[in-house]
Amino acid sequence: MKPALSVIFFTVSSGAGLGLLVWLLIASLMADHIRMDATTFYKGAAIAAALITAGLVSSTLHLANRKNAIYALTRIGTSWLAREGLLALALYPLAALHLYALQASWPQVTPITLWLLITDAIAVLYCTGMIYGCLKTIPRWNTLMTPVKYVLFGLMSGAVLLPAVLSLRPVEVGPVGKPMVAILLLAV
């Protein structure tokens, strides 16, 4: 089997971006413990958005024409590709709402948007895994474990990127506060 380069790039890029987004959002809940400032969060969110967007754009390259992309999004009842596409597109307004709520200091709205974003990102990863898991032509992938593994691979890729994002903190913020948080992230 020789998958298209655009599919490989999509799988790695969007998976890592979605995983990074999940870990950034979880880290923002523990901002006091890991000393993450708002600027670092925004930089990390921009990196995650760039990875997700690059992956999604590259995924359209293996569709023969634009009609296939539009057709793929209209079959939500029967197609994991349609579900993935619509959930991925829903990330952008959700993220914009979350960032706006953060800027406007709406403490009653940010937890809701945060958990919606985490749920949506994991759902996109799951749908992508189901696309691969439904391929009967590849028996090794045609299992219930494929989507689970895809979600875990996305989260692991994001966990690998999170320390790089946290290293972007200004010097005056200081090092990571509690060592238990780092141990917890490694265990996951």
Side-chain angles (χ1 to χ4, degrees):
M1 184 179 108
K2 250 190 150 174
L5 184 59
S6 61
V7 174
I8 294 169
F9 181 78
F10 157 70
T11 302
V12 173
S13 178
S14 65
L18 290 164
L20 176 61
L21 178 64
V22 168
W23 288 118
L24 275 171
L25 291 166
I26 291 171
S28 72
L29 290 172
M30 303 183 297
D32 293 339
H33 297 289
I34 61 172
R35 296 184 186 162
M36 184 170 69
D37 61 322
T39 305
T40 305
F41 176 79
Y42 291 129
K43 287 177 185 176
I47 292 168
L51 287 168
I52 295 166
T53 303
L56 292 174
V57 168
S58 76
S59 73
T60 63
L61 296 177
H62 70 278
L63 300 173
N65 58 44
R66 278 189 245 159
K67 288 183 205 172
N68 289 347
I70 294 168
Y71 179 68
L73 290 176
T74 61
R75 303 186 61 207
I76 192 165
T78 58
S79 169
W80 284 105
L81 178 63
R83 295 173 190 138
E84 174 205 32
L86 291 174
L87 286 170
L89 291 175
L91 271 173
Y92 294 96
L94 268 175
L97 180 62
H98 182 67
L99 293 175
Y100 183 76
L102 284 174
Q103 287 295 322
S105 295
W106 291 347
Q108 66 276 21
V109 175
T110 52
I112 296 167
T113 56
L114 181 137
W115 287 109
L116 284 174
L117 267 172
I118 289 173
T119 304
D120 193 19
I122 291 173
V124 172
L125 287 168
Y126 181 81
C127 288
T128 306
M130 281 304 295
I131 292 169
Y132 297 126
C134 289
L135 294 175
K136 291 182 180 167
T137 55
I138 308 170
R140 288 184 181 169
W141 291 359
N142 193 344
T143 71
L144 293 175
M145 287 306 295
T146 299
V148 173
K149 289 177 184 177
Y150 193 82
V151 170
L152 291 175
F153 287 146
L155 291 173
M156 285 188 286
S157 299
V160 168
L161 293 175
L162 184 63
V165 169
L166 292 177
S167 72
L168 299 173
R169 289 179 304 216
V171 176
E172 58 272 7
V173 174
V176 173
K178 309 278 186 210
M180 284 307 294
V181 174
I183 293 169
L184 175 69
L185 289 176
L186 282 173
V188 173

